[in-house]
């Protein structure tokens, strides 16, 4: 479902203000009593179960790509990840002051006389500006980033991109750095574990799951568990202790 599907595009600003206001009012009721907020909280409660299935390799080969990576993850990110309440209230204030205005779908941008000119596909109204800022968060891709450490590791072969295989034998990249999922130690271009070199967090997204989510209180967050596991390995030199995600 498109978020604009039931909005009146001819009066888009008012329609969005009405939608955001409703979201604010529901969010103020909290995750226990707000109808929408409580429903969305279910997606967050399912994260550990999905992470458990990923860590135990319970997905069929094709389902991992087509269901988890291509469908479920983007859908749950879109539905259950968003700004804090105060940011929505600030957005409403900026709209009311005429500082923020939303364009209709399918924005097109051109350069005319040294300035950016933007317009929606089916709208004659144009917006002109000296500066254009792309504020979207890019998709996670370990092989396409500006981190000099990751670039150096990949260039030297100490790190390699993580691949999985479909049932027809086709290999595909998950966009993560390859590592031993039980110890989080890197795996080099020869397939050997790089002893004592650990990696966790966003560069492992695709091999692990939901590494970008902020820890939630009271749920024994997976990212914090990983950090504890790595710290324990570094201190003790042991790599065979139990982890609740891998039992």
């Amino acid at each position: 479902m498109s978020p604009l599907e039931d909005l009146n595009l001819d009066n888009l600003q008012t329609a969005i203000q009405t939608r955001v206001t409703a979201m604010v009012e529901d969010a103020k009721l909290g995750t226990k009593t707000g109808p929408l907020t409580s429903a969305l909280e279910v997606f967050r409660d399912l994260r550990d179960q999905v992470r458990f299935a990923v860590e135990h390799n319970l997905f069929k080969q094709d389902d991992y790509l087509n269901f988890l990576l291509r469908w479920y993850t983007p859908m749950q990110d879109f539905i259950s990840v968003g700004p804090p309440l105060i940011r929505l209230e600030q957005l409403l204030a900026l709209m009311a002051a005429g500082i923020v205005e939303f364009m209709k779908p399918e924005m097109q941008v051109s350069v005319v006389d040294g300035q950016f000119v933007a317009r929606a596909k089916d709208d004659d109204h144009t917006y002109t500006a000296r500066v254009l800022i792309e504020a979207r968060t890019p998709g996670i891709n370990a092989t396409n980033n500006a981190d000099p450490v990751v670039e150096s590791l990949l260039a030297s072969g100490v790190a390699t991109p993580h691949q999985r295989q479909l049932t027809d034998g086709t290999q595909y990249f998950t966009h993560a750095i390859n590592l031993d999922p039980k110890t989080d130690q890197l795996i080099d271009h020869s397939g050997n574990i790089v002893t004592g070199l650990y990696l966790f967090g966003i560069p492992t997204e695709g091999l692990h799951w939901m590494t970008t989510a902020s820890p939630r209180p009271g749920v024994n967050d997976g990212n914090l568990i990983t950090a504890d596991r790595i710290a324990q390995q570094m201190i003790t030199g042991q790599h065979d202790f139990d982890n609740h995600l891998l039992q």
Side-chain angles (χ1 to χ4, degrees):
M1 177 181 176
S2 167
L4 298 175
E5 191 171 296
D6 58 347
L7 289 183
N8 179 7
L9 296 183
D10 293 328
N11 195 2
L12 184 60
Q13 309 311 311
T14 299
I16 290 179
Q17 284 179 308
T18 300
R19 173 72 62 82
V20 175
T21 298
M23 293 171 61
V24 167
E25 293 175 350
D26 187 272
K28 287 181 177 179
L29 296 175
T31 57
K32 303 300 183 183
T33 56
L36 177 60
T37 304
S38 300
L40 297 181
E41 189 73 3
V42 173
F43 283 94
R44 300 184 182 96
D45 291 338
L46 286 173
R47 286 176 182 170
D48 273 351
Q49 282 66 42
V50 175
R51 187 180 284 116
F52 182 91
V54 170
E55 299 294 341
H56 284 77
N57 202 25
L58 299 180
F59 284 99
K60 294 180 179 179
Q61 292 175 322
D62 292 8
D63 288 344
Y64 191 88
L65 173 64
N66 296 319
F67 172 77
L68 180 68
L69 297 186
R70 288 180 173 172
W71 184 76
Y72 183 80
T73 300
M75 181 271 294
Q76 79 94 35
D77 285 351
F78 180 77
I79 291 177
S80 67
V81 178
L85 174 60
I86 190 173
R87 295 290 181 253
L88 293 178
E89 293 176 321
Q90 290 169 343
L91 175 61
L92 287 173
L94 291 171
M95 292 181 68
I99 297 174
V100 170
E101 182 176 347
F102 284 87
M103 294 181 62
K104 293 182 179 180
E106 299 186 60
M107 181 181 72
Q108 300 171 338
V109 179
S110 59
V111 177
V112 179
D113 296 330
Q115 291 189 317
F116 295 103
V117 178
R119 54 168 295 181
K121 182 178 180 181
D122 299 319
D123 191 354
D124 293 331
H125 184 71
T126 60
Y127 300 82
T128 302
R130 295 184 299 104
V131 177
L132 177 66
I133 300 175
E134 183 178 13
R136 296 179 300 173
T137 302
I140 297 171
N141 188 338
T143 61
N144 183 22
N145 69 85
D147 187 326
V149 175
V150 175
E151 288 182 333
S152 176
L153 291 171
L154 289 168
S156 64
V158 175
T160 57
H162 178 249
Q163 298 183 70
R164 290 180 71 100
Q165 182 173 292
L166 300 176
T167 53
D168 63 3
T170 302
Q171 296 278 343
Y172 68 93
F173 291 103
T174 64
H175 302 309
I177 295 293
N178 196 20
L179 49 79
D180 178 356
K182 293 184 178 181
T183 67
D184 299 289
Q185 294 178 105
L186 289 182
I187 296 177
D188 66 18
H189 70 285
S190 298
N192 300 317
I193 291 178
V194 183
T195 303
L197 185 56
Y198 305 89
L199 182 70
F200 85 112
I202 293 175
T204 70
E205 182 68 30
L207 189 153
H208 292 310
W209 189 74
M210 283 302 293
T211 61
T212 61
S214 300
R216 299 170 62 214
V219 298
N220 201 15
D221 180 79
N223 287 336
L224 299 183
I225 291 173
T226 301
D228 287 343
R229 180 174 65 223
I230 291 173
Q232 186 171 349
Q233 291 174 114
M234 294 174 66
I235 293 171
T236 66
Q238 301 297 315
H239 300 87
D240 57 357
F241 58 91
D242 289 334
N243 180 301
H244 91 285
L245 290 175
L246 300 170
Q247 291 175 352

